[in-house]
Amino acid sequence: MARRFFKSKYMPFTYKMMIPYLLIVLITDAAIGYASYTMLVKSRTEVTQTGIRAALEQTRNNAEYRMAEIQRISDLLFGNLPFQRALTKHSDRRSMYLTVLDEVVPLLQAPLELFGSPIKLTLYPVNPDIGESVGSSDTSPITRSDYFIQSFTVLQEASWFQHLQEEGADNLWFQTNLDQEQGNVSLFRKLVLFTDYKTVIGYIKITINLNSLLDNLAKYPEQGLGLRFYDVKTGHTLFEQLAGERGDKFLNLREAIAGTSFALEIRVPLDYLNKDAKRLQVTIGLICASSFLVMGMIGFIVATLSGRRMKRIVSFISVFQEGKFEQRISVNGNDEFELIARSFNRMATSIQQLIQDVYNQGVQKKQAELEALQAQINPHFLYNTLSTISSLSNLGKTREVTEMVKLLSRFYRLTLNEGQVLIPLHKELGQVEAYLDIQKVKYADAFQVYMEMDPEVKDVPIIKLLVQPFVENVFKHAWFGETIAIRITAKRVGEVLELKIIDNGIGMQPDTVDKLLRGGLRSNAYGLKNVNERIKLRYGAEYGVQIASIFGGGTTVQIILPFSMNTLPEVDITSYTLEHTGKGGDPS
């Protein structure tokens, strides 16, 4: 056969077909390799650039949101009239201590509970009667949300404040010398009286760390990226990290912070965007050369490896769909699968954090709503009393008008209790007596009241306004005849304090009692539900209000509270200072 081949000097057809086949494979591989190389480089460059742009935009959005939240906190304090009155109040040390404790500190603490990042809120009241707070140092780094009350003298001695006074600047973001050392930025604003908008009553400074403000880019894992946070007006750089040289070899991305003069700038080296180009070129060239010999083997290996990796990623996505967000993909290499795995892991981490943040915000919102119940006072009684006073005045009954005004003043003096939430039981019942005295002016002797209180419970501290809403409800809903009798008792039963309000009025149906406790009825029902919820919030679910009623036979309201012989705490005014525990704490 070989002899005949050489004698005939011809090339077999299969060999001839091999030449164009190899040329076609070579051209196809070269074209595919070139196209793949170009598309992969472009794709990776665009993905990297898009990721950097997305991180920059997200950081800008987060910074705008946090700065807007801080601005909103300053607006709330600026526009709060009770806060203004507290800052302008002048009185003895004890009264000022209670004023700051009840009217200033809660307004400083409330934003710290709701703001997601650690911030430092400093108040500089002009009023010298307001003492300074005692806590961690205002000059210490920001590790948790905290508030401070410092003397106005300290502010006047600060060089940065003197500079701002000379420029007449107000409500602006800037850096003090300490902020520059610690990497912080502060919002500074003066507080003025709403009566003239000129009288300065104090200043507030809210400080946040720049790492917290720029956490997305400050923690960005890639190397070689230059990050800069600067003031556009002055060109002053507030924060700079991994800064590279400026020039044509860098892609400069810039985002302005809305509502401020600040801007974010990130510098990306072009070599970073094209860092895999040479490696892709060599790899594709080797693949094209090797395809002549082992095309089938390469196809099989590539298909097997690709299918195995894709199957692994799909399995993790299926687990992720079931809500198991703790799973992470571990893929070795430097290709699309590794990029997908990293992106998947980042997405899972972000979703976990988002779920936790939403849960925490929901808990904080619910807690704030429950605490707001303690500040609600039903105004219907005041409206009715003022209407009665107006009617008596029109009838010329001057004595009754004078008596009614005096009793109303006494009622609200006991109700306010100098801003204290807790009140001794005997004062609570005294407030009820003041209310009944007002009703006596209106109804004369048309009702009888019997009040019994054991001596051992008269100093037990309870939250105020527990009994009066139920007594008021007797006059509004239970009275149907010429007269009515009311009996109020207070006694100790085991380890609980039992209060009862009993009347011989018209009574209620069982479904009416249920709606009354759930707040399903109008009129005073909201106040009754308020009392029940305030008791459970303060003392626990095992305490609260129970109502027993027989239609046509009267109603009994039972209030169950914990019994404690501890009297109300005395106020220490020997040294007028405010100590606090920072975020979420109560002054002590």
Side-chain angles (χ1 to χ4, degrees):
M1 180 74 73
R3 187 181 302 172
R4 188 167 24 187
F5 171 79
F6 285 111
K7 285 184 178 180
S8 62
K9 297 181 180 180
Y10 74 93
M11 184 178 291
F13 180 76
T14 54
Y15 290 173
K16 293 179 182 179
M17 290 299 297
M18 185 64 66
I19 295 175
Y21 172 76
L22 293 177
L23 289 176
I24 292 175
V25 171
L26 179 61
I27 294 173
T28 304
D29 285 346
I32 294 176
Y34 178 78
S36 300
Y37 168 77
T38 304
M39 293 177 64
L40 285 173
V41 170
K42 182 178 179 181
S43 175
R44 291 181 65 84
T45 301
E46 290 178 352
V47 168
T48 304
Q49 184 173 342
T50 301
I52 294 173
R53 286 184 182 275
L56 181 61
E57 291 177 0
Q58 184 177 0
T59 301
R60 179 208 60 193
N61 292 336
N62 290 343
E64 288 180 353
Y65 174 77
R66 288 186 172 94
M67 297 176 82
E69 281 294 294
I70 292 176
Q71 181 68 48
R72 186 181 66 83
I73 292 173
S74 73
D75 292 341
L76 290 176
L77 295 175
F78 179 86
N80 192 290
L81 293 178
F83 185 70
Q84 287 192 5
R85 288 194 293 268
L87 293 183
T88 56
K89 182 179 179 180
H90 294 277
S91 184
D92 58 276
R93 296 172 67 87
R94 179 180 183 278
S95 297
M96 291 302 298
Y97 175 86
L98 295 176
T99 298
V100 174
L101 188 67
D102 296 331
E103 300 179 24
V104 176
V105 170
L107 293 175
L108 298 179
Q109 283 183 322
L112 306 181
E113 295 287 344
L114 301 178
F115 197 78
S117 301
I119 58 174
K120 183 188 298 182
L121 194 157
T122 307
L123 171 66
Y124 301 94
V126 175
N127 187 353
D129 291 342
I130 298 179
E132 293 187 347
S133 65
V134 177
S136 57
S137 174
D138 183 35
T139 61
S140 60
I142 301 176
T143 58
R144 62 171 186 173
S145 292
D146 211 345
Y147 73 91
F148 305 90
I149 303 176
Q150 292 197 349
S151 172
F152 180 62
T153 306
V154 176
L155 183 63
Q156 288 179 313
E157 296 174 353
S159 58
W160 58 266
F161 175 73
Q162 298 172 3
H163 179 69
L164 293 179
Q165 290 290 91
E166 293 174 358
E167 294 183 350
D170 181 36
N171 196 17
L172 79 163
W173 290 90
F174 76 110
Q175 275 190 316
T176 65
N177 296 335
L178 183 62
D179 288 340
Q180 294 176 3
E181 295 175 1
Q182 298 182 353
N184 301 330
V185 64
S186 299
L187 174 67
F188 186 75
R189 186 172 190 174
K190 66 181 177 181
L191 304 174
V192 298
L193 281 179
F194 270 21
T195 55
D196 57 9
Y197 288 95
K198 295 180 180 180
T199 304
V200 178
I201 62 175
Y203 296 85
I204 54 173
K205 179 166 69 73
I206 307 176
T207 306
I208 186 172
N209 188 265
L210 288 171
N211 280 320
S212 176
L213 191 66
L214 311 174
D215 57 352
N216 286 331
L217 283 181
K219 299 177 181 178
Y220 199 73
E222 301 293 342
Q223 301 296 323
L225 304 182
L227 173 63
R228 180 176 176 233
F229 184 72
Y230 66 99
D231 192 330
V232 177
K233 291 183 179 180
T234 63
H236 175 67
T237 299
L238 283 75
F239 179 85
E240 191 166 15
Q241 177 177 311
L242 300 175
E245 298 178 0
R246 297 186 179 91
D248 297 334
K249 295 182 179 181
F250 290 85
L251 173 65
N252 297 320
L253 304 177
R254 179 178 176 273
E255 291 286 344
I257 307 298
T260 70
S261 62
F262 300 131
L264 275 171
E265 181 183 88
I266 187 169
R267 295 187 292 277
V268 186
L270 296 182
D271 293 340
Y272 171 78
L273 297 176
N274 302 320
K275 64 180 180 179
D276 296 325
K278 293 183 179 179
R279 181 162 48 186
L280 287 173
Q281 183 179 11
V282 174
T283 302
I284 293 176
L286 291 175
I287 292 175
C288 291
S290 301
S291 66
F292 285 98
L293 302 175
V294 289
M295 182 178 295
M297 185 181 295
I298 291 176
F300 176 77
I301 294 175
V302 171
T304 302
L305 294 178
S306 300
R308 186 180 302 169
R309 288 189 174 187
M310 185 58 67
K311 183 177 180 181
R312 186 179 181 185
I313 292 176
V314 170
S315 65
F316 273 96
I317 292 176
S318 299
V319 173
F320 188 78
Q321 251 183 337
E322 297 175 359
K324 299 178 180 179
F325 303 120
E326 69 278 1
Q327 297 290 337
R328 298 293 183 270
I329 304 176
S330 177
V331 177
N332 298 325
N334 189 15
D335 52 18
E336 291 82 355
F337 294 104
E338 193 269 341
L339 180 61
I340 292 173
R342 284 194 303 166
S343 300
F344 177 86
N345 293 338
R346 290 178 187 171
M347 180 185 66
T349 302
S350 299
I351 291 177
Q352 273 188 303
Q353 184 62 41
L354 179 61
I355 292 175
Q356 184 64 31
D357 291 344
V358 170
Y359 173 78
N360 291 336
Q361 291 175 6
V363 172
Q364 293 172 358
K365 180 181 178 182
K366 183 61 178 177
Q367 182 65 20
E369 290 174 352
L370 291 177
E371 290 176 353
L373 290 174
Q374 299 183 10
Q376 296 171 347
I377 298 178
N378 195 332
H380 294 162
F381 166 67
L382 177 60
Y383 300 156
N384 294 337
T385 305
L386 293 178
S387 177
T388 302
I389 292 175
S390 177
S391 300
L392 292 174
S393 177
N394 292 334
L395 295 174
K397 297 184 178 181
T398 306
R399 186 184 63 80
E400 287 81 355
V401 169
T402 303
E403 184 66 19
M404 186 76 82
V405 171
K406 289 181 180 180
L407 293 173
L408 183 63
S409 173
R410 177 176 173 241
F411 172 80
Y412 274 100
R413 183 168 62 254
L414 292 172
T415 300
L416 296 176
N417 192 34
E418 298 182 349
Q420 297 293 322
V421 176
L422 295 179
I423 186 173
L425 178 59
H426 68 87
K427 285 190 177 181
E428 171 73 4
L429 297 183
Q431 186 261 358
V432 174
E433 290 178 347
Y435 169 80
L436 292 171
D437 288 339
I438 294 174
Q439 299 301 329
K440 286 180 182 179
V441 176
K442 183 177 180 180
Y443 296 106
D445 296 326
F447 65 90
Q448 294 82 37
V449 178
Y450 306 93
M451 191 172 296
E452 301 174 6
M453 176 177 62
D454 290 348
E456 65 172 329
V457 300
K458 70 182 186 68
D459 292 323
V460 174
I462 64 172
I463 53 178
K464 63 185 180 182
L465 286 177
L466 295 184
V467 180
Q468 186 271 335
F470 296 102
V471 177
E472 181 179 351
N473 202 46
V474 173
F475 288 92
K476 296 179 66 175
H477 302 287
W479 198 345
F480 72 99
E482 295 295 330
T483 63
I484 193 170
I486 305 172
R487 183 184 179 192
I488 301 173
T489 65
K491 63 181 179 178
R492 176 180 181 179
V493 179
E495 296 302 322
V496 299
L497 172 63
E498 180 189 68
L499 304 176
K500 284 187 177 181
I501 302 94
I502 306 170
D503 67 79
N504 61 349
I506 192 172
M508 295 176 286
Q509 298 287 357
D511 59 336
T512 304
V513 174
D514 182 61
K515 291 180 180 180
L516 196 64
L517 284 175
R518 289 186 290 106
L521 296 177
R522 302 187 63 181
S523 185
N524 204 33
Y526 184 76
L528 303 183
K529 180 174 178 289
N530 182 302
V531 171
N532 195 34
E533 290 189 353
R534 285 194 296 130
I535 292 174
K536 293 184 180 299
L537 177 64
R538 180 76 182 189
Y539 301 112
E542 64 271 24
Y543 303 100
V545 178
Q546 297 180 358
I547 299 179
S549 183
I550 300 176
F551 188 70
T555 301
T556 298
V557 176
Q558 182 186 47
I559 303 175
I560 301 298
L561 304 173
F563 178 81
S564 174
M565 291 305 296
N566 295 328
T567 57
L568 289 175
E570 294 292 338
V571 178
D572 183 8
I573 60 172
T574 56
S575 58
Y576 179 60
T577 57
L578 269 178
E579 298 182 359
H580 63 86
T581 58
K583 180 178 179 180
D586 294 330
S588 58

